Amino acid sequence: MSKYKRYERYKDSGIEWIGEIPEHWEITKLKYICSESAVYGLNESAENYVEEGVRFIRTTDIDNKGNLDNSMGGVFLPEEKVKGYILKTGDLLVSRSGSLGTSLYFDEDKYGKCSYAGYLVKFRANSKNCPKFLFYFSKSNIFYIQIQLALVSSTISNFNGNKYANMILPLPSYYEQKAISNFLDQKTAEIDSLIADKEKLIELLQEKRQAIITEAVTKGLNPNVRMKDSGIEWIGEVPEHWKVTKVKYFYDICLGKMIQPNRKDYSDTLEYYLCSINVTWDGIDISNLKEMWFSNDDKKKYSIKSGDLIVCEGGDAGRASIWDGSVENCYIQNAVHRVREKKNSSNKYLYYWLYFLKHAGYIDLICNKATIMHYTYEKFLNTVLIIPDLSEQQEISNYLDKKIAEINSLRKEIEWQIQKLKEYRQSLISEAVTGKIDVRDYKDEGMSNLNLIKKVERRVSRMKNETIYLDRDMNQRFEKEFEAAKKDWEKGKQEYEKQKRDNDKSNFKPSDRT
């Protein structure tokens, strides 16, 4: 935070986990600065939900940034049932169950008329304090520290509104609360916009991964090869010398063992096994291996060795990965299939073929995704397979291994950047609401909206010149995405500057706090 200045004088807050605060700030409790403190929400059964009415906010409706998640549409109650529980702009909601500390700043213009559920607690700032400052306090490290300290002597089920009401916070004047809130509104919006654009890059990389795999396993690597009709409408033409066949003619498949929780014979032994949750497209996750009893015959039948392809029968049916033999004496449970090669076939090629089928929607279709999905032994055996000779399978697999590794490397780098931005966002909020930085007269000199855009554009430019070939359509999509982002940011900057001018004109000076 070296780019931001500090206050001139500090004093000891007397609280170890807060440290020093500006000399003119106070230490108080949340309940002392609220006109309504720790007001519990309404307990209503789902049986009373209606299609239209007043939005009924639950803990699960609030995302980790403090926004109302509208992706699922929400639930509603009749207006007569929510009297006395209608929210006002500026109200702070905090979860007392589930994801403890999840909070929402309510804005009626943004969310419409709403009430709130019983696992949420409402705080309403009094007229001498800024509601948005209370919200940012609820997103600070000192807020989460106090939750953890309270949990030492209680449980989640006993975490009530009174514990929130008694939380300690450093408190500046109304004017400073407002200045800090305006600063954080601007900075978190800029950081969130940058995160959103990086997440778009990840989505585009995922699309590129899918496109590269699809092209390789349906058209091959030679652009000049003679083609033929595959006889499958949604696949179209394939290389003339490739076979259109079924999985069972090139691979041996074994479905795993049913769960055996108890020992049946003295010779049975507890062994590790793989199930569907262990299988990801990027490898086998061995961090949570389970155990069950296996007989000697079971161990012969259900053992796995390095190079075996493991395919989900249940869960995310069709998801697959190659076993690397990282755990000695490991077996399979009946939520997964084990695949081994017959003559003239490659497990790695089948892995990429299944990736194509899964993302094309074919596996979901034959497994009837509307119900509990099962990629049964029979369905797997009879799955369509378009396959070249072994040497070309290996050539395609090696090519895709290289390309996917490049994409994964870029994705991990962007994910690392996103994580650092989230950490920076959290740190910035905490530093501002505890007075570690002075933002009363802040002017953005280092990371304006335009600078953020330029950083993203430079990153996109580098990506275009890196080892992954981005085709013309994909390049155009990048350019359209970021041109739209630039316009949004420029509009946001203009709105912010207008708001700042309006605030300056109003020259609002609240009375001293009592």
Side-chain angles (χ1 to χ4, degrees):
M1 299 297 169
S2 58
K3 64 180 287 187
Y4 304 108
K5 67 178 184 178
R6 287 170 56 83
Y7 285 86
E8 290 183 1
R9 289 184 293 276
Y10 286 83
K11 65 182 180 184
D12 185 2
S13 67
I15 301 168
E16 183 180 357
W17 38 267
I18 292 181
E20 291 186 330
I21 60 173
E23 190 176 53
H24 60 287
W25 286 30
E26 303 171 3
I27 292 292
T28 188
K29 291 185 177 181
L30 183 57
K31 63 184 178 182
Y32 296 143
I33 60 173
C34 292
S35 59
E36 295 184 27
S37 176
V39 181
Y40 283 54
L42 180 66
N43 290 313
E44 277 290 342
S45 168
E47 297 174 356
N48 295 321
Y49 294 164
V50 293
E51 290 187 7
E52 294 183 2
V54 178
R55 176 77 184 265
F56 188 52
I57 301 176
R58 304 158 298 173
T59 298
T60 53
D61 295 327
I62 304 173
D63 68 21
N64 58 10
K65 291 180 183 176
N67 298 310
L68 193 56
D69 183 0
N70 290 314
S71 61
M72 301 299 290
V75 298
F76 300 85
L77 287 172
E79 189 159 357
E80 61 270 18
K81 283 189 172 290
V82 296
K83 290 180 180 179
Y85 295 92
I86 299 297
L87 295 167
K88 293 182 179 180
T89 295
D91 284 347
L92 174 67
L93 295 179
V94 187
S95 172
R96 64 183 180 89
S97 182
S99 299
L100 279 182
T102 297
S103 62
L104 169 74
Y105 174 84
F106 182 73
D107 183 341
E108 187 172 359
D109 290 338
K110 185 177 180 181
Y111 302 127
K113 193 173 187 178
C114 295
S115 61
Y116 64 108
Y119 283 122
L120 290 166
V121 185
K122 182 186 76 178
F123 292 86
R124 182 172 292 168
N126 62 32
S127 60
K128 297 179 180 180
N129 291 281
C130 174
K132 186 59 79 70
F133 182 82
L134 270 61
F135 168 72
Y136 281 119
F137 161 67
S138 75
K139 293 298 179 185
S140 69
N141 290 336
I142 61 171
F143 182 80
Y144 295 116
I145 287 172
Q146 291 180 79
I147 290 177
Q148 294 304 314
L149 290 173
L151 284 174
V152 171
S153 57
S154 65
T155 63
I156 291 178
S157 60
N158 292 326
F159 205 95
N160 54 42
N162 190 51
K163 287 184 169 63
Y164 286 126
N166 283 293
M167 281 194 171
I168 295 169
L169 71 154
L171 195 69
S173 67
Y174 180 97
Y175 165 76
E176 285 180 84
Q177 292 179 40
K178 188 72 175 174
I180 290 168
S181 299
N182 288 341
F183 164 79
L184 289 174
D185 281 348
Q186 178 194 352
K187 301 310 293 182
T188 56
E190 289 176 349
I191 294 168
D192 291 345
S193 293
L194 186 54
I195 289 173
D197 284 312
K198 288 183 177 293
E199 288 172 341
K200 287 180 183 178
L201 284 178
I202 290 177
E203 290 176 8
L204 291 174
L205 284 172
Q206 179 62 24
E207 290 179 19
K208 187 61 183 177
R209 170 178 172 151
Q210 186 174 336
I212 289 172
I213 292 173
T214 298
E215 182 74 12
V217 300
T218 61
K219 310 301 179 188
L221 304 181
N222 180 2
N224 300 314
V225 71
R226 291 176 62 121
M227 307 293 284
K228 68 178 180 182
D229 185 1
S230 67
I232 302 170
E233 183 178 355
W234 52 274
I235 292 179
E237 291 188 330
V238 298
E240 189 178 54
H241 61 288
W242 287 21
K243 295 182 177 68
V244 180
T245 182
K246 294 182 179 180
V247 167
K248 62 184 177 183
Y249 298 122
F250 283 82
Y251 295 93
D252 284 322
I253 300 170
C254 174
L255 182 62
K257 172 184 168 66
M258 291 184 65
I259 290 291
Q260 181 185 324
N262 301 310
R263 194 175 198 167
K264 294 181 179 180
D265 186 84
Y266 76 94
S267 63
D268 290 354
T269 56
L270 273 177
E271 305 290 349
Y272 289 121
Y273 67 88
L274 300 181
C275 57
S276 59
I277 62 171
N278 302 113
V279 181
T280 78
W281 290 112
D282 293 321
I284 302 290
D285 178 9
I286 61 171
S287 62
N288 57 347
L289 289 181
K290 299 177 181 179
E291 291 180 308
M292 70 170 167
W293 295 97
F294 285 83
S295 69
N296 290 329
D297 287 341
D298 290 336
K299 284 183 275 191
K300 292 176 183 177
K301 182 176 181 180
Y302 300 114
S303 65
I304 53 177
K305 63 183 181 181
S306 181
D308 285 346
L309 180 64
I310 309 299
V311 181
C312 292
E313 189 274 349
D316 188 12
R319 190 173 60 205
S321 190
I322 300 288
W323 174 243
D324 63 2
S326 54
V327 175
E328 190 176 359
N329 299 327
C330 194
Y331 305 89
I332 52 170
Q333 179 247 355
N334 70 336
V336 297
H337 301 282
R338 181 197 67 207
V339 182
R340 286 180 176 164
E341 304 150 342
K342 293 183 180 179
K343 189 177 180 181
N344 298 322
S345 62
S346 160
N347 267 355
K348 180 53 76 74
Y349 179 84
L350 181 60
Y351 161 82
Y352 284 121
W353 178 253
L354 290 173
Y355 186 96
F356 158 65
L357 292 181
K358 178 68 177 178
H359 290 82
Y362 173 81
I363 293 178
D364 289 352
L365 180 65
I366 65 172
C367 293
N368 189 6
K369 193 175 182 179
T371 61
I372 298 176
M373 288 180 61
H374 288 285
Y375 193 27
T376 64
Y377 177 75
E378 291 76 17
K379 288 175 181 175
F380 194 3
L381 283 176
N382 289 290
T383 293
V384 62
L385 174 66
I386 299 177
I387 190 168
D389 60 36
L390 181 58
S391 63
E392 193 170 356
Q393 291 175 52
Q394 293 168 340
E395 182 183 3
I396 290 171
S397 297
N398 292 338
Y399 166 82
L400 289 176
D401 284 349
K402 179 181 177 182
K403 291 300 182 184
I404 302 310
E406 291 168 352
I407 289 175
N408 287 344
S409 177
L410 282 176
R411 188 197 70 211
K412 288 177 182 178
E413 179 187 340
I414 297 170
E415 288 172 343
W416 179 85
Q417 292 171 2
I418 289 172
Q419 181 58 36
K420 290 302 176 185
L421 282 169
K422 289 179 178 178
E423 292 173 5
Y424 174 69
R425 186 185 194 276
Q426 177 70 33
S427 178
L428 193 64
I429 292 171
S430 298
E431 295 283 277
V433 300
T434 58
K436 301 300 187 293
I437 56 176
D438 181 359
V439 299
R440 289 174 294 181
D441 302 314
Y442 175 76
K443 292 182 179 178
D444 194 357
E445 297 172 349
M447 207 175 217
S448 66
N449 290 318
L450 187 58
N451 284 335
L452 288 173
I453 294 166
K454 287 180 178 178
K455 285 194 172 188
V456 175
E457 288 176 337
R458 285 197 296 270
R459 175 60 183 148
V460 174
S461 179
R462 287 201 303 273
M463 287 180 65
K464 289 178 181 179
N465 293 321
E466 283 172 345
T467 53
I468 295 180
Y469 172 74
L470 297 175
D471 59 39
R472 183 170 54 192
D473 290 341
M474 187 63 75
N475 287 342
Q476 290 173 350
R477 290 194 60 190
F478 270 114
E479 289 162 4
K480 287 180 181 178
E481 293 281 358
F482 285 92
E483 189 61 33
K486 182 185 292 186
K487 289 179 181 177
D488 288 343
W489 276 345
E490 287 173 348
K491 181 181 177 183
K493 184 178 182 181
Q494 290 170 1
E495 290 175 352
Y496 168 74
E497 289 173 346
K498 181 180 182 299
Q499 181 184 3
K500 188 175 185 300
R501 288 195 299 271
D502 293 343
N503 289 341
D504 291 341
K505 287 179 183 178
S506 66
N507 196 23
F508 177 70
K509 293 182 180 180
S511 58
D512 293 335
R513 289 176 295 126
T514 57

